[in-house]
Amino acid sequence: MGFDQIPPIKMKKRLLTLAALAAITTSFSAAAAGTAESRLDVYGFVGAANLKISNDTDSFKADGVDLGARAVFNVTPNLFLLGEYTYADADGDAFGTTVKIKVDEARGGAGFRFEVAPGLKLGVFGQYVYQQTSFGADGFSISADYNGYHVGGIAQYDIIPQLQGFGRVGYLTIEDDGTDGSKLDGLDLNAGLSYRFTPNLGIYIEYRYSGLSTSDNTDFDYNSFRGGVKLSF
């Protein structure tokens, strides 16, 4: 896929996607008052991120930061809705030129989890994924919009009442909206620890990894080490 084949930014679709994610939490807020088990968890994070793009003959690395927010609405002890937004900004050197990469990603979906042992919950989830990626160098910029899905399993374990380990692992696939129709797919996971100071306030750290590949053996490896604040309502 040549850079000149990537379609322009679809801002309207991006705004509609983000609005849909916001609706995940707001459209069910009224139910929280009437369901004793309902709870809304909101996470904000910032992290150090790096991206590696490689094929059979060459590779490119970029380092930067990512930040974002995640919301999980626990409708019942077993059913939950989730939405997440991530923004990443990184740059690297390619043949003596600084290349800047920006990624906007929004996800929204639902899942089920069940307590299988004291303090241990396992479950499954599915998410719609929208991603916009742009590359810029020497005043020139290109971008592409991708749509896809993420499905997999989750785990939560209460180490002590205040300390929880969590993780998710799944299959992620996204496809270019343009005429090129390029597709990336592979592994996507995250894992971390959260500590609760009060029933409503906590902190957490986590690691995220995405390893995606194209049909022409181009690999995209994304790593992020994050920390942030968790609020519960």
Side-chain angles (χ1 to χ4, degrees), residues 24-110:
I24 289 176
T25 57
T26 57
S27 62
F28 290 91
S29 59
T35 306
E37 299 292 346
S38 298
R39 188 182 75 252
L40 174 63
D41 296 323
V42 179
Y43 304 76
F45 64 84
V46 61
N50 66 76
L51 172 68
K52 180 181 179 181
I53 305 173
S54 60
N55 55 29
D56 294 334
T57 60
D58 207 352
S59 65
F60 166 78
K61 295 181 180 180
D63 296 300
V65 299
D66 64 359
L67 54 89
R70 181 185 308 131
V72 180
F73 183 74
N74 299 279
V75 183
T76 72
N78 304 118
L79 171 66
F80 62 92
L81 306 174
L82 67 160
E84 183 174 348
Y85 172 75
T86 301
Y87 170 78
D89 190 332
D91 59 69
D93 182 79
F95 306 106
T97 300
T98 298
V99 178
K100 291 187 173 294
I101 302 175
K102 295 183 179 181
V103 178
D104 281 293
E105 183 184 87
R107 302 183 181 195

Side-chain angles (χ1 to χ4, degrees), residues 129-168:
V129 179
Y130 168 75
Q131 186 182 106
Q132 182 184 88
T133 303
S134 65
F135 295 81
D138 292 334
F140 176 75
S141 179
I142 53 173
S143 66
D145 289 346
Y146 296 87
N147 287 275
Y149 62 88
H150 182 210
V151 294
I154 61 169
Q156 298 176 353
Y157 180 64
D158 296 328
I159 302 170
I160 60 174
Q162 297 84 7
L163 181 65
Q164 181 186 76
F166 60 89
R168 73 182 183 200

